[in-house]
Amino acid sequence: MSRPNAQSMKPATAAKKLDVYLPATPAEFQQNPITRSDLAALQADPPQWLKDLRKDGPHPKNLVAARLGVSIAGLARGGVTEALTTEQIDALLEEKPEWLIAERESYQTVLSEQRRLKALRVERARED
């Protein structure tokens, strides 16, 4: 097995940087190392398949969680274990199942606490 050079990355890494779900990408993308210049070209002028994936999905868990306003762990607790399409995300937002409401509230509480702690650290740093 040949080792990719330092200027290329695995398809999974490139997919993560492009915020797309790797199994939904074309076979050619999944099977070949991606150079930094290839990645830059995809970001600067995305081909139609990339535009479609970003618009319609399926989306990776981090984007699903962000669009639903929950954590990735909250998705798992809600039973969402697979990538979702934009249509499926919109349906969940419209239906507002109990788990989603609870996870959104929980996530907002966590974010609020993180902001409070950060402000406290900043305040203490000023005092020192």
Side-chain angles (χ1 to χ4, degrees), residues 93-112:
L93 289 170
E94 196 172 304
E95 292 168 13
K96 292 186 177 124
E98 283 186 39
W99 72 264
L100 181 57
I101 293 168
E103 288 298 335
R104 288 178 102 173
E105 289 174 5
S106 173
Y107 188 59
Q108 287 306 312
T109 302
V110 168
L111 292 178
S112 182

Side-chain angles (χ1 to χ4, degrees), residues 55-116:
K55 180 180 177 225
D56 302 323
H59 303 287
K61 288 181 190 176
N62 64 319
L63 288 183
V64 173
R67 288 183 180 196
L68 291 175
V70 300
S71 66
I72 293 174
L75 283 179
R77 285 189 294 270
V80 178
T81 57
E82 299 296 319
L84 299 180
T85 63
T86 300
E87 186 177 312
Q88 292 169 314
I89 293 168
D90 291 344
L92 279 173
L93 289 170
E94 196 172 304
E95 292 168 13
K96 292 186 177 124
E98 283 186 39
W99 72 264
L100 181 57
I101 293 168
E103 288 298 335
R104 288 178 102 173
E105 289 174 5
S106 173
Y107 188 59
Q108 287 306 312
T109 302
V110 168
L111 292 178
S112 182
E113 180 64 7
Q114 286 176 345
R115 285 190 295 270
R116 185 187 73 79

